[in-house]
């Protein structure tokens, strides 16, 4: 076999999200699209807001000279400056263009961060439930991943985290609003986490980075807002994208922002820029860099998601499912009536309902539902959910 053994093993245990997506295609071929209710994939159906369409029209009708050429690996200076000004207004911190790097989405952002800071054998700590690609991203750059627990609200359990920190710990990665739980980490908790990391740095004589993956930061409900990570810890780094708030997941546009108060901010941004090139990203998509600088305050209709969140929560809890009401993102993470979440997910297939087992997110006993889809699909899935839980009452 010419494929590397490591990749063969990884492919054999590939993401449950991808497995369910492919199964959904098969079921639709067998039963018809209208009879299959696929709630497994976080692929939003909302179209981008009007500001995006207007920016595209302007760029197409009056393209700037050299719009499609290479630019510095960190991205256009004008776009980085616009993002820095936006961050400064949000946080009150002295962000400048030199603190930002444009990237190929949040996934590209995390990979250049890990490439920049990780030595072989060092450790990244993540919290379950977690986005399934995180361990692979860390492994890409020779690091190990350690999974820390969360509490009943899916927020980090700092008492459990404290003894896990060691001289090998190079980064702690948080994701809020969280995929898959929809949990939003409060500012005071992030502050306590930052204090814990600062004490660990002093104890071990090391640098520990607090990395926040925030593609859902603008999708929050009930008047809540995503707290800036930068007030929690000096060595904090933001990885984010415009995939969700501007409904541009296929365009792969995001950025990294390094805390202006980070002791090694300059060398770190230089490293991020270098890694953007040598990992093959080269630069973030040029057209999208022109576009997003004019749409930094734009967003899709968050109320559209909130209505679906409320429908799903009310329907499922009314049937007897136990779940924490999502505070952000567009996922719900109910407890499985069957402790074997994989078995329960397979039971739902009897009614052509597809969800993703919590096992795939490091949290057995739960399952993820995506609600970024048509009302027809959500409403049509309710019959299957009702029938599936009946056996466990």
């Amino acid at each position: 076999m010419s494929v590397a053994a490591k990749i063969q093993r990884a492919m054999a245990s590939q993401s449950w999200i991808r497995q369910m997506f492919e199964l959904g295609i098969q079921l639709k071929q067998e039963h018809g699209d209208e009879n299959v209710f696929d709630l497994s994939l976080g692929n939003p159906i909302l179209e981008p807001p009007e500001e995006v369409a207007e920016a595209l029209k302007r760029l197409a009708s009056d393209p700037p000279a050299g719009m499609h050429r290479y630019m510095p690996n960190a991205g256009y200076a004008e776009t980085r400056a616009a993002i820095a000004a936006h961050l400064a207004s949000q946080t009150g911190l002295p962000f400048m263009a030199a603190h930002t790097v444009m990237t190929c989405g949040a996934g590209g952002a995390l990979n250049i961060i890990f490439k920049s800071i990780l030595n072989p054998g060092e450790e990244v700590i993540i919290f379950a439930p977690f986005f399934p690609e995180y361990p692979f991203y860390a492994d890409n750059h020779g690091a190990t991943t350690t999974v820390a627990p969360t509490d009943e609200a899916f927020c980090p359990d700092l008492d459990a985290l404290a003894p896990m920190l060691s001289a090998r710990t190079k980064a702690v990665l948080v994701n809020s609003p969280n995929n898959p739980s929809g949990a939003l980490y409060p500012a005071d908790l992030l502050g306590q986490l930052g204090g814990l990391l600062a004490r660990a740095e002093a104890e071990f004589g090391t640098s520990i980075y607090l990395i926040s993956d925030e593609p859902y930061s603008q999708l929050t409900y009930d008047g809540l807002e995503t707290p800036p990570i930068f007030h929690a810890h000096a060595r904090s780094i933001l990885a984010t994208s415009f995939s969700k708030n501007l409904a541009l997941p296929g365009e792969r546009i995001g950025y990294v922002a390094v805390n202006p108060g980070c002791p090694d901010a300059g060398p770190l941004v230089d490293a991020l820029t270098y890694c953007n090139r040598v990992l093959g990203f080269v630069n973030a998509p040029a057209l999208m860099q022109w576009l997003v600088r004019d749409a930094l305050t734009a967003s899709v209709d968050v109320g559209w998601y909130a209505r679906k969140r409320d429908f799903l929560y009310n329907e499922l809890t009314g049937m007897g499912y136990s779940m924490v009401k999502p505070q952000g993102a567009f996922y719900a993470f109910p407890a499985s009536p069957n402790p074997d979440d994989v078995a329960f997910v397979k039971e739902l297939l009897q009614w052509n309902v597809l969800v993703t087992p919590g096992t795939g997110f490091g949290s057995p006993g739960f399952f993820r539902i995506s609600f970024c889809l048509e009302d027809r699909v959500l409403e049509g899935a309710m019959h299957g959910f009702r029938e599936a839980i009946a056996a466990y009452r």
Side-chain angles (χ1 to χ4, degrees):
M1 171 67 75
S2 59
V3 176
K6 181 178 180 179
I7 299 303
Q8 290 183 55
R9 292 192 297 271
M11 291 170 64
S13 59
Q14 64 179 314
S15 168
W16 272 101
I17 300 172
R18 180 56 50 183
Q19 292 183 48
M20 299 308 293
F21 175 66
E22 292 174 354
L23 180 57
I25 293 174
Q26 177 184 329
L27 288 175
K28 289 173 183 177
Q29 291 173 344
E30 295 174 0
H31 303 283
D33 285 11
E34 71 280 5
N35 298 312
V36 176
F37 312 103
D38 189 350
L39 289 68
S40 66
L41 191 65
N43 191 11
I45 66 165
L46 275 182
E47 294 300 322
E50 186 62 27
E51 291 90 337
V52 171
E54 290 301 321
L56 280 172
K57 291 175 186 175
R58 288 196 304 271
L59 291 166
S61 62
D62 186 21
M67 183 171 69
H68 302 292
R69 296 174 188 165
Y70 286 128
M71 79 291 294
N73 296 120
Y76 286 117
E78 298 88 344
T79 304
R80 297 168 67 201
I83 287 173
H86 181 64
L87 289 171
S89 69
Q90 287 185 316
T91 65
L93 298 174
F95 277 97
M96 300 176 64
H99 299 116
T100 65
V101 175
M102 303 305 297
T103 65
C104 294
L110 288 171
N111 272 278
I112 68 168
I113 292 169
F114 286 167
K115 180 73 169 177
S116 296
I117 67 172
L118 293 171
N119 294 300
E122 290 183 327
E123 170 191 63
V124 176
I125 296 180
I126 61 177
F127 295 93
F130 54 80
F131 179 56
E133 307 295 354
Y134 289 160
F136 296 107
Y137 291 168
D139 179 72
N140 285 346
H141 309 292
T144 61
T145 304
T146 299
V147 180
T150 52
D151 61 20
E152 293 181 354
F154 299 116
C155 286
D157 183 339
L158 300 188
D159 289 335
L161 172 65
M164 300 174 69
L165 298 170
S166 72
R168 290 179 53 248
T169 306
K170 193 60 170 286
V172 173
L173 173 61
V174 295
N175 170 219
S176 169
N178 179 254
N179 173 12
S181 69
L184 181 67
Y185 301 169
D188 60 344
L189 177 66
L190 293 175
Q192 294 171 37
L193 172 57
L196 179 61
L197 298 187
R199 292 191 293 275
E201 286 181 320
E203 177 183 354
F204 300 116
T206 59
S207 299
I208 303 176
Y209 293 90
L210 178 57
I211 304 168
S212 185
D213 179 28
E214 295 185 15
Y216 302 95
S217 62
Q218 293 192 45
L219 303 186
T220 57
Y221 310 122
D222 307 322
L224 298 173
E225 294 183 358
T226 302
I229 194 66
F230 305 108
H231 300 299
H233 186 57
R235 285 189 174 86
S236 51
I237 309 173
L238 169 66
T240 192
S241 80
F242 297 93
S243 294
K244 310 309 188 296
N245 67 302
L246 295 185
L248 295 171
E251 303 299 343
R252 311 311 306 141
I253 181 68
Y255 64 89
V256 175
V258 176
N259 191 333
C262 180
D264 54 355
L268 179 54
V269 172
D270 288 344
L272 293 167
T273 304
Y274 168 80
C275 291
N276 221 15
R277 182 175 82 250
V278 300
L279 285 176
F281 298 118
V282 182
N283 53 254
L287 177 61
M288 290 298 107
Q289 289 193 56
W290 284 98
L291 184 152
V292 298
R293 74 177 68 160
D294 296 324
L296 291 175
T297 60
S299 176
V300 295
D301 178 11
V302 178
W304 187 86
Y305 286 120
R307 290 188 292 273
K308 293 177 184 294
R309 186 269 316 245
D310 291 343
F311 169 80
L312 186 64
Y313 179 82
N314 292 335
E315 287 289 315
L316 292 188
T317 56
M319 297 175 196
Y321 288 91
S322 174
M323 60 185 290
V324 175
K325 194 171 188 179
Q327 297 171 304
F330 42 61
Y331 306 104
F333 204 52
S336 172
N338 181 344
D340 185 341
D341 55 301
V342 174
F344 183 72
V345 166
K346 290 179 179 177
E347 289 178 46
L348 282 170
L349 293 175
Q350 298 176 56
W351 297 278
N352 292 337
V353 175
L354 291 95
V355 296
T356 311
T359 295
F361 303 92
S363 293
F366 296 86
F367 61 94
R368 191 190 78 168
I369 299 172
S370 173
F371 54 84
C372 60
L373 29 75
E374 299 95 337
D375 287 342
R376 174 194 68 79
V377 179
L378 273 182
E379 294 167 2
M382 292 305 110
H383 172 72
F385 283 121
R386 189 173 292 108
E387 292 294 320
I389 198 173
Y392 298 95
R393 286 195 176 127

